[in-house]
Amino acid sequence: MSGVRLDGVALGKQIRGEVAEQVVALGITPGLAVVLVGEDPASQVYVRSKGRACEQAGMHSETIRLPATTNQAGLLAAIDRLNADPAIHGMLVQLPLPDHLDTDTVIRRIDPAKDVDGFHPINIGKVVLGDPTGFRPATPYGIQQMLIRSGIETTGAHAVIVGRSTIVGRPMASLLIQNGPGGNATVTTCHSRSKDLGAITRSADILVVAIGRPRCVTAEMVKEGAVVIDVGINRVEDASTERGYRLVGDVDFEAVAPLASAITPVPGGVGPMTIAMLLVNTLQAARAGLRF
Ligand code: GUN
């Protein structure tokens, strides 16, 4: 078996095109604000991409750049201003934050109706309950869309998620067990304390890996014919490249691709889907605002 490459660039572009059409039909301009504290290089790249995608979809984009020395009160005040701004329908604070800031307090300060990352406890609760008014975190939502739009059957499949983060692993489990399209799977969530990880991952029909360790999932850990979704984006040194590094996933792509029925590459797999779904959520926020 040789794996189909699941093309997140093409699928993401398709979804962004659909969003752009719906923005035109909406009659108001959805606005997304992204708050970046400090100068983390990877975060700067992500934030620029989010702003650009927003503008290309006909949305209003604001990036609030705050110095790494910003204190908790300063960051909360910036969030309060965005909560009160009628031109802003969705907002997010790019993570990770500098160590002196308390992420939980910051996330809880965002108006749940504008929390397009879906990280506020209100939205986490709604997603667990299957309430469609909740915002689904963009990465697992993008993975679910990728499965649906690629014709991959989740009903009755054993989906194994490696990693229990609040951004990916936990909401991924919630989405895959729901009763609906891209759901109805039997879900196992593994983490750093799981015993005999390989035995569990080998039983997966759909394997979602989000642990942040380069090429950690090897061919021996994957069943022939499995669908493999690699969420990892890791920089590894590579002197042959101009930048001195290249990006690899959490899965050993070269070894696993020949076994898999479908697999996401890194880059060009899950990443572009995440940005597309952030736009979908911003559109959802703007639409919901029209109803009040
Ligand atoms: N850092 C890595 N992924 C994300 C994300 O989806 N949202 C935010 N706000 N920060 C992140």
Side-chain angles (χ1 to χ4, degrees), residues 43 46 50 92-96 117 119 138-139 167 274:
S43 291
Y46 296 139
K50 288 171 184 179
L92 64 92
V93 178
Q94 187 66 28
L95 303 178
D117 256 340
F119 294 170
T139 300
I167 295 183
T274 297

Side-chain angles (χ1 to χ4, degrees), residues 217-229:
V217 169
T218 57
E220 300 75 55
M221 297 170 73
V222 178
K223 176 171 76 176
E224 172 114 35
V227 173
V228 180
I229 307 292

Side-chain angles (χ1 to χ4, degrees), residues 32-82:
L32 174 69
V34 177
V35 181
L36 174 62
V37 186
E39 269 134 41
D40 177 72
S43 291
Q44 293 200 34
V45 173
Y46 296 139
V47 165
R48 257 197 306 277
S49 302
K50 288 171 184 179
R52 211 179 309 127
C54 210
E55 283 162 12
Q56 285 169 355
M59 295 183 178
H60 167 64
S61 158
E62 273 182 42
T63 303
I64 291 89
R65 292 173 197 278
L66 300 173
T69 51
T70 302
N71 63 19
Q72 184 86 3
L75 178 53
L76 295 180
I79 293 170
D80 289 344
R81 279 194 294 278
L82 295 168

Side-chain angles (χ1 to χ4, degrees), residues 217-272:
V217 169
T218 57
E220 300 75 55
M221 297 170 73
V222 178
K223 176 171 76 176
E224 172 114 35
V227 173
V228 180
I229 307 292
D230 189 352
V231 184
I233 304 179
N234 308 289
R235 290 184 180 192
V236 294
E237 276 184 33
D238 184 347
S240 72
T241 67
E242 205 175 299
R243 298 180 293 191
Y245 69 87
R246 71 195 159 88
L247 297 177
V248 299
D250 291 349
V251 174
D252 182 351
F253 184 88
E254 280 72 28
V256 170
L259 278 174
S261 61
I263 185 166
T264 56
V266 177
V270 172

Side-chain angles (χ1 to χ4, degrees), residues 279-290:
L279 301 186
V280 170
N281 281 350
T282 305
L283 181 65
Q284 177 182 326
R287 270 209 189 110
L290 289 177

